Amino acid sequence: MNFAVLGSDEPRGVSLPPLPLLAGLLAAIALSIAAVWLIGGSGIAALAYAGGLLVLAIGGLLVGRVRAEATREAVALPDWTVTAAAMDNSRRAMAITDRANRLTCANETYRQWFGEPDPPSEIAFSDTANIAIAEAARAAWREGRGVADDLSQSEGERRFRLEVTRAGRGENFLVWRFAEILVEQGYDGIDERISGSLGAILSRAGVEVALVAGDGIIMSHSPGLAERAEGQDDSSLAGKEFVKLLRTDDRDRIYFAREGQQGSPQTLVHIPLDAGDSPDEGVETRPSVMLLIDSSVGFGGGWEASGKASVPQLEALLSALPLGLALTDRDGRFLFANKAFLRAVEREQVGLPQFPSDLVVREDKGPFADTVRRFARGATASGDIAVRLANDREEPVSIGLAGVRGLGDAAVLLSLSDSTEEKRLRRQVAQATKMQAVGQLAGGVAHDFNNVLTAIIGYCDLMLLRHTPGDSDYDDIQQIRANSNRAASLTRQLLAFSRQQTLRPVVLQLPDVVSEVSQLLKRLMGDKVEFSIRHDRELGPVRADPQQLEQVIINLAVNARDAMHGHGARAGSDWKGRLTLATRRVSARDVRKLGIDIMPADDYTVLIVQDTGGGIPEQVINKIFEPFFTTKEQGKGTGLGLSTVYGIVKQSNGFIFADNVTGSDGRVAGARFTVYLPVHKGEVPAPARKDPVEDERASEWSGGASLLLVEDEDMVRAVAERALTRAGYSVTTASDGEEGLAIIANGKGEFDLVVSDVVMPVKDGPAMARDIRKVKPNLPILFMSGYAEEHLRSEIDIDNMHFIPKPFSVQQINAKVAEVLGEQVREGA
């Protein structure tokens, strides 16, 4: 028991005065006697006076002694060891504190649930729970009792109910009682299987099964159990106590209570289903599967009472159950494991190791081995332990343990749920969620950065109009502009990753795109890399932006080239690499066979880029599509190549996967990127041809129109105003949508075109445009934005709307305004 005692065990009460004080007191008494003798002149009077003082002194000592004994009796502390023993309860955590909030006593369950023996007010509960605990304590001091329901700890999902009562002779202590609130769970249809066909099969084989709740109540059972227990095969035992169906004799053999010793003995196997937080936690807190194996009925030849003879039949039974189950002997060696257990530990091909501890990481080997031996050699009990498997270090699993007896060499039953599929789906969802979140962040950063680049590029263009080649500042301005354009390309890559760039998709054949870039790729690969292309027949057309698909192929090829060069540098100077581009036709039936849950079953045209480099390390394969992640040396690469590929493929409604290719010797022989693009099911339109005359007419528009410029960024508004004014336009500016709408509604001018940003405070561009159309239904709108045009058009359903992406130069915005105004003139004509 874990307890603490305040104060000492032997209170001293009243002690004698110190020696100097006693000597001084005797001297004072002697002087007072001498004074009485001299003053009275009589020795008899002095003697009588001395006797009186002696009587008073003895009386004072006796009174002090009595008071000391009373004080000793009053302050004597209770024997806390007896209190702690009385508080022993595996289902409740109990503690006692005094008025100073000091922990004076706590039972073992309190230590197991909450760790170090701290007062209840200092346990790491949630903020809401801490408030409820403090209110319960105040109510207990005030009224004698306080309660708090549904208390949750700051870490973990366990919940508790608290009762606090005031106690003690002087009511100077609080007794705290914590009870865990258990949540009922489902168990993957086990109850339906037990009560269904599986239970019927087991009943015919002489094995009865029951699913029993933590409080001993039957939740489900096999059909034959009702007949054995109550004599009626159509009755239900749900809601009844399992232990009341059985009885034992003086040799601890188990029988059905209805049959008594006239029936056949039963072997009881207890399998806990739901793991608790500690292997020492009581079995009553979790549901279990109870197996009753008849000793007189055999599996195809007779079940013998011998424990060793029964093990093969037990193994056959465990193999039929969906839970992962294994048996070990008293020394902790594996005897048997069913397929579900091997699948859960991912050892279906290699089989079991010698000891269960060989399945876990090095840090968990010792505790796991000790726990298995304790259950094998101690009293029959059950529990669980949280460990990390050697093949999955990130997510701990809970392995249930139950000591078994009378089954030959078998001593411990291990149980483990097969969560392979669940973990795979969880990882896929987590990866997709992370990529979506990073994409949103990257898109927001790129959008804001585009505003800054628009101002920088615009001012550079305006300065270049005042400088000619040969000026001292001309080259510097050109350098600023060149680096701004380089930064703009980075923002385009971020927008590509976040699927917010402007795409111009057309229906095309993938081999045509590959052939367009094949000559460029041969030059990029160099002499050390052999380049080959393979195409399937009857490939379906896809709908994508051909320029962006070329970017995808180039990025993947260059990434493969760099990987092969790095691998070849380590292999030696005579290395040779090989890059293969292949296209494949994949049907919906093939997709179903692949079992990729995140990809719909449909027809796809597939692009495969495969190299002979060193492959992708397993620890980074889930990170390679993240922006700014790179395995190259510092200063080489931005880490945006593969993230750009990912964004373009996803924006084209496709899917991309990366894996390693193994050679005939089982070693990694390179990396492979597979791009799935859905086959276009509609008609293939004829390629659109631009009319050069129309473009020329649009560019011939000259200034003189009246424009309303709405932009919340001061620097972008200023550079756009200067650029349009220099082009001969009359420009009126507004800093947000409300101001722009007010200018139109109040009739402060007649405008030929509204040039507006999309995202603005107070009222954004689309909302302002809709309100303007109520006043001026034919007024054209030109939106400026760093987001994709397709994304905006899908959210802004406005006629006569035009778009120019940020960042733009002075020449680009002038040309776009002229193009829009030219269209209005032609439509009016």
Side-chain angles (χ1 to χ4, degrees), residues 404-426:
V404 295
R405 304 294 181 265
L407 295 176
D409 294 333
V412 178
L413 176 67
L414 303 178
S415 61
L416 176 62
S417 298
D418 179 15
S419 58
T420 305
E421 186 68 14
E422 180 185 350
K423 288 190 290 186
R424 186 179 68 84
L425 291 176
R426 191 187 306 124

Side-chain angles (χ1 to χ4, degrees), residues 397-712:
V397 298
S398 184
I399 297 181
L401 304 97
V404 295
R405 304 294 181 265
L407 295 176
D409 294 333
V412 178
L413 176 67
L414 303 178
S415 61
L416 176 62
S417 298
D418 179 15
S419 58
T420 305
E421 186 68 14
E422 180 185 350
K423 288 190 290 186
R424 186 179 68 84
L425 291 176
R426 191 187 306 124
R427 287 171 182 166
Q428 287 182 353
V429 172
Q431 181 68 8
T433 304
K434 180 174 68 174
M435 297 295 281
Q436 180 70 20
V438 175
Q440 291 176 352
L441 175 63
V445 171
H447 176 265
D448 292 340
F449 196 44
N450 274 334
N451 283 330
V452 179
L453 291 175
T454 300
I456 296 175
I457 294 173
Y459 279 116
C460 285
D461 290 341
L462 293 173
M463 293 175 67
L464 288 173
L465 294 175
R466 301 194 302 270
H467 293 76
T468 59
D471 289 353
S472 59
D473 296 333
Y474 185 84
D475 291 337
D476 294 337
I477 299 172
Q478 285 284 25
Q479 282 295 325
I480 296 173
R481 194 177 191 280
N483 283 285
S484 299
N485 288 327
R486 182 184 176 190
S489 68
L490 290 178
T491 61
R492 282 193 293 271
Q493 288 179 306
L494 285 175
L495 287 172
F497 169 73
S498 61
R499 291 171 266 170
Q500 295 174 2
Q501 67 170 344
T502 299
L503 296 183
R504 290 175 172 80
V506 297
V507 179
L508 51 83
Q509 287 288 342
L510 196 55
D512 296 340
V513 180
V514 174
S515 63
E516 287 289 335
V517 297
S518 59
Q519 295 301 321
L520 173 61
L521 292 180
K522 288 180 181 179
R523 292 194 297 269
L524 290 174
M525 292 302 104
D527 299 333
K528 291 283 188 179
V529 178
E530 176 187 346
F531 179 62
S532 62
I533 300 175
R534 301 171 186 170
H535 294 303
D536 256 1
R537 295 181 178 179
E538 300 179 0
L539 295 174
V542 298
R543 188 172 184 273
D545 187 326
Q547 293 183 348
Q548 297 298 332
L549 275 187
E550 292 178 4
Q551 185 69 40
V552 167
I553 296 172
I554 293 172
N555 283 9
L556 291 177
V558 170
N559 190 72
R561 180 202 64 186
D562 294 342
M564 287 187 287
H565 275 272
H567 181 67
R570 293 189 295 270
S573 59
D574 57 346
W575 69 276
K576 285 287 185 179
R578 184 173 66 257
L579 176 68
T580 303
L581 261 67
T583 55
R584 295 285 184 268
R585 177 167 53 92
V586 177
S587 65
R589 183 176 60 182
D590 297 330
V591 174
R592 294 188 189 97
K593 292 180 181 179
L594 291 175
I596 303 176
D597 299 285
I598 62 174
M599 190 168 70
D602 202 350
D603 296 334
Y604 292 89
T605 297
V606 179
L607 171 68
I608 301 173
V609 180
Q610 183 173 326
D611 61 56
T612 56
I616 307 171
E618 290 294 332
Q619 62 270 22
V620 302
I621 197 168
N622 290 328
K623 303 178 181 179
I624 57 174
F625 293 119
E626 297 178 6
F628 305 113
F629 178 82
T630 179
T631 56
K632 299 178 182 178
E633 299 176 7
Q634 187 174 2
K636 294 185 178 181
T638 61
L640 289 173
L642 290 179
S643 63
T644 302
V645 169
Y646 176 86
I648 294 173
V649 172
K650 296 299 289 185
Q651 195 171 358
S652 303
N653 297 321
F655 301 88
I656 182 169
F657 302 98
D659 62 345
N660 290 321
V661 181
T662 55
S664 57
D665 57 355
R667 297 182 179 179
V668 175
R672 175 175 56 196
F673 288 85
T674 308
V675 178
Y676 292 82
L677 296 174
V679 173
H680 180 68
K681 299 295 178 66
E683 296 183 0
V684 179
R689 299 179 60 185
K690 285 190 175 181
D691 188 351
V693 178
E694 293 295 326
D695 290 344
E696 183 178 346
R697 289 177 61 186
S699 63
E700 289 176 354
W701 175 268
S702 59
S706 179
L707 309 179
L708 174 61
L709 176 62
V710 186
E711 170 63 59
D712 63 310

